[in-house]
Amino acid sequence: MILSTTYMFAQVNNESINQEPRFSIRGSVIESDTRNPISNVNIEVNGGAYTTTNYAGDFRIEVKKGDELIIRHKDFETVYYTILSNERITVEVEPNKKEIEYKQKKFSRSNPNQFKSLIDSAETHLKKDAKRSIQFIELALARSHSVKENAEAYEVLGDIYMFWKQYDLAVSNYRVSDQNMKTNVVKLKLATAYKQNNNYQESIATYKEINKRTLSNWQLVQLHEGIGDVYLLTQNYQLSIDNYQKGLVVAQKHLITPKITDLNSKIAQAYNAKGEAQKAEGYFNKSMKLASTQNKKRAIEEKIKVADFQSDHSNYSSEIALRKQALEDINDFENDSVLDNESALTSQKQNYKIGNAFALQKDYQNAIPYLEKSIAEADSKEDLTVQKDATRRLSEIYRDAGQFDKALIAYQSYVDLVDKLYSKKEQEISQAARFSKDIVNKQNRILSLESDRALTESQFQLTTEEAKRQKLIIYSLIGGVLLLLVTALLMFKYIKQQRLANNLLALKSLRSQMNPHFIFNALNSVNSFIASNDERTANKYLTDFSLLMRAVLENSEEDFIPLEKEIELLELYTKLEHFRFQDKFDYHINIDENINVQDFVIPPMLLQPYIENAVWHGLRYKKSKGHLEIGITQTESDEIKITITDDGIGRQKSKALKTKHQQKQKSKGMGNIKKRVSILNEMYKDRVDVFVDDFKEEEDTGTRVVVTLKKD
């Protein structure tokens, strides 16, 4: 009884945490130059409230922390703003018409130094504002008067796309730059862009095209290092080591210290990947010693690389010692610099890895403080990923240590963090898609301007040289068509890649949201057995429960698993539920003997929520003992049907018994399944179909779920 009360308190407390408080914010929208207010501006919360500005440009809207405010109007570009607090917001905008007039006035053709100024501006904004940087390139190309200037503009445009990880667009622009003017700098950048875009053979071919005699010593090291990187990615480890060694010889001969450190480290990584750990350790010791003579950041990076190497080889004591040294350096380094959460050097990541290393040694007493510190630091820095991982590890340690109450509390926190991270990832996907769309549009505009300029120049030549004009028009038209075809191909390829990446990220997030009710209730059952001194039953139940959790974790990264594995998982899950509710239902799992289950695959954990609903919302409330039937039959040569039938109280009665919170949880679980099925059918062309209906027309109507699977 005490355990049940504790669990209910944890549920209520957890629910209150998930409900972010809402508040009202005020703001105004004005023109940046005249300070005049703008009325009738559309103000919308992403998926929430909506309002407009009044005649004075003011607005008021209800939001919560983390919401995205979308500010739209026909006279300026859409503005996106993330709510951090209830501060008053002032949005300064520059209308499109005035912006165009300003640019035309400031960047007139009468200024001969305009091109260089625009390129400098593009490079200044390269790492801060991609769209603005690209706008400067667009203006520079409009004022370019030579092949050399064209090459320089497209090179900087390639640099912009490389920094913002749009590698296919970077390849395209470096190629255009190289076509305008051949330089070793652009060739090296093009080879690197090919590598980043996974065009490994093209990357190697580009490196080999470069005449080594024309390279500076630094560029020669870059070339050997780049080839080594490609061979390492393609798992050709010996060729990778050979090229790193060649680069190291040049770097040592000409005292290029940073590259000496980098190449020793990369040789170590290649030997480690090749399986020669002893040689790898020797080179890592060299690189770590060399890095200590350079700046503090480089020294920290190398210590962490070596610590990761020690971790891979289960040398946890050495790993812990290195990470503690790195932590001391990071604390000093953070006093002068701000580290992004994506960096491997953050203190929360290192504290988490130290705690994990102690846990792998079964030293839970030392592991717990480091994990708790990692969680606190990650919380203060809003690093949800590390906070989630550290909280989950802490829950596992408490479980292994037999502290099930603390394990339950930690796991509840982990579930909350998974939900928050999922919401954050959804926003990031939306923002990334929007950013990619803007980038592609600007690239298309640049290509269109180039086509327009080519046609204009052709028309100008027409008035002076009739015969020459006809050839130029023909060549320009052919070039324009080819350019448009290349642009369309690049757009199609990019959009397809982006859609696939978005679907994969969404699937990963949805798979991570397993309904925690069964886990919490299972842990309570174990506690009940322990409290009643029924150690044998508790051990048996916990063993089966551990097998189920291991199977769930093993399958969590896959879109589809063999049907045979899913059946084993269902048998184990149904056995555990029946063990807890033996007085409520019996069950049978019937598999048609003619079905070859090895021929079919199924999304993992697709059937479990329907069985959970049948037990918890149908059979559990039945007055008499119920029955659960799971049947698998083959209807066609390439199709099977999985039927889950219960004679419980039915969906309508179950819905009437639920609280608002329970209805919300159920809706969320079913919504998760619908989203997964929808995404998988989009990616794999309608392989899964789910149908839910009442089982019979009686007082206890029961429920029937029919899942149809098709082969590849």
Side-chain angles (χ1 to χ4, degrees), residues 555 561-571 591 596-602 632:
N555 299 332
I561 62 172
L563 179 61
E564 187 176 17
K565 283 190 177 182
E566 182 72 359
I567 292 172
E568 292 174 0
L569 189 147
L570 285 183
E571 289 175 342
I591 303 173
N596 189 358
V597 293
Q598 290 86 358
D599 292 345
F600 292 90
V601 293
I602 186 171
I632 303 176

Side-chain angles (χ1 to χ4, degrees), residues 248-276:
L248 183 59
V249 169
V250 178
Q252 289 173 334
K253 181 179 179 181
H254 298 282
L255 302 178
I256 306 174
T257 306
K259 288 299 181 184
I260 295 174
T261 306
D262 293 345
L263 288 166
N264 272 287
S265 182
K266 289 188 175 184
I267 292 170
Q269 292 174 49
Y271 271 125
N272 186 40
K274 192 181 178 183
E276 297 183 29

Side-chain angles (χ1 to χ4, degrees), residues 1-9 405 524 527-528 531:
M1 182 65 75
I2 294 175
L3 287 171
S4 177
T5 304
T6 303
Y7 170 65
M8 289 302 294
F9 170 77
D405 290 341
N524 277 331
N527 283 338
S528 299

Side-chain angles (χ1 to χ4, degrees), residues 493-511:
K493 179 181 177 183
Y494 178 77
I495 292 170
K496 185 176 179 181
Q497 290 175 343
Q498 190 69 27
R499 184 179 298 169
L500 177 61
N502 291 346
N503 283 340
L504 290 174
L505 181 57
L507 277 176
K508 187 173 182 180
S509 298
L510 289 169
R511 286 196 300 263

Side-chain angles (χ1 to χ4, degrees), residues 338-398:
V338 177
L339 291 172
D340 187 84
N341 284 338
E342 298 298 322
S343 171
L345 309 186
T346 59
S347 55
Q348 63 265 29
K349 281 189 175 74
Q350 297 311 309
N351 276 309
Y352 164 67
K353 290 185 177 181
I354 292 173
N356 186 58
F358 275 122
L360 291 170
Q361 291 179 312
K362 307 297 183 184
D363 187 354
Y364 301 138
Q365 186 175 358
N366 280 317
I368 291 171
Y370 279 99
L371 291 173
E372 289 175 341
K373 188 173 182 181
S374 173
I375 293 167
E377 288 177 335
D379 183 47
S380 67
K381 296 176 183 177
E382 297 183 345
D383 188 348
L384 287 175
T385 302
V386 172
Q387 190 178 5
K388 169 185 72 70
D389 293 339
T391 303
R392 178 178 177 178
R393 195 70 177 101
L394 185 62
S395 173
E396 292 171 348
I397 288 172
Y398 280 136

Side-chain angles (χ1 to χ4, degrees), residues 273-520:
K274 192 181 178 183
E276 297 183 29
Q278 189 173 358
K279 288 184 179 179
E281 187 169 14
Y283 277 98
F284 268 133
N285 289 335
K286 289 181 186 178
S287 65
M288 192 162 59
K289 185 177 180 180
L290 290 165
S292 66
T293 64
Q294 296 177 233
N295 61 72
K296 183 168 288 187
K297 183 179 180 182
R298 186 66 185 88
I300 298 169
E301 288 174 347
E302 203 58 31
K303 283 181 182 177
I304 290 173
K305 283 183 184 178
V306 179
D308 291 340
F309 166 78
Q310 297 292 357
S311 177
D312 291 342
H313 294 276
S314 302
N315 299 324
Y316 301 121
S317 297
S318 299
E319 177 196 1
I320 291 167
L322 284 168
R323 293 199 192 281
K324 285 182 177 179
Q325 292 174 23
L327 260 181
E328 293 177 4
D329 295 334
I330 289 170
N331 292 332
D332 294 337
F333 183 77
E334 286 183 327
N335 292 331
D336 302 320
S337 305
V338 177
L339 291 172
D340 187 84
N341 284 338
E342 298 298 322
S343 171
L345 309 186
T346 59
S347 55
Q348 63 265 29
K349 281 189 175 74
Q350 297 311 309
N351 276 309
Y352 164 67
K353 290 185 177 181
I354 292 173
N356 186 58
F358 275 122
L360 291 170
Q361 291 179 312
K362 307 297 183 184
D363 187 354
Y364 301 138
Q365 186 175 358
N366 280 317
I368 291 171
Y370 279 99
L371 291 173
E372 289 175 341
K373 188 173 182 181
S374 173
I375 293 167
E377 288 177 335
D379 183 47
S380 67
K381 296 176 183 177
E382 297 183 345
D383 188 348
L384 287 175
T385 302
V386 172
Q387 190 178 5
K388 169 185 72 70
D389 293 339
T391 303
R392 178 178 177 178
R393 195 70 177 101
L394 185 62
S395 173
E396 292 171 348
I397 288 172
Y398 280 136
R399 180 201 64 197
D400 294 341
Q403 301 181 46
F404 297 110
D405 290 341
K406 290 184 177 180
L408 178 60
I409 294 170
Y411 195 85
Q412 288 172 324
S413 298
Y414 163 73
V415 172
D416 291 343
L417 290 167
V418 168
D419 288 339
K420 288 181 180 179
L421 187 59
Y422 174 67
S423 299
K424 182 181 177 183
K425 291 296 181 185
E426 280 190 323
Q427 284 192 354
E428 288 177 355
I429 291 172
S430 174
Q431 292 168 355
R434 190 162 58 239
F435 173 81
S436 298
K437 183 180 178 181
D438 291 343
I439 291 294
V440 170
N441 287 339
K442 290 189 179 297
Q443 175 71 8
N444 292 338
R445 177 172 171 77
I446 288 173
L447 294 174
S448 298
L449 287 173
E450 282 298 286
S451 299
D452 292 342
R453 188 170 68 167
L455 290 173
T456 301
E457 290 176 353
S458 297
Q459 291 172 357
F460 176 76
Q461 293 295 328
L462 180 65
T463 61
T464 58
E465 300 180 41
E466 187 66 27
K468 192 175 181 179
R469 184 202 67 162
Q470 293 176 355
K471 291 182 180 180
L472 287 172
I473 290 176
I474 293 171
Y475 292 151
S476 298
L477 288 173
I478 292 173
V481 170
L482 290 175
L483 197 59
L484 290 173
L485 288 173
V486 171
T487 303
L489 182 63
L490 288 172
M491 285 182 61
F492 175 77
K493 179 181 177 183
Y494 178 77
I495 292 170
K496 185 176 179 181
Q497 290 175 343
Q498 190 69 27
R499 184 179 298 169
L500 177 61
N502 291 346
N503 283 340
L504 290 174
L505 181 57
L507 277 176
K508 187 173 182 180
S509 298
L510 289 169
R511 286 196 300 263
S512 68
Q513 296 184 71
M514 180 182 175
N515 190 334
H517 286 302
F518 171 70
I519 298 173
F520 295 155

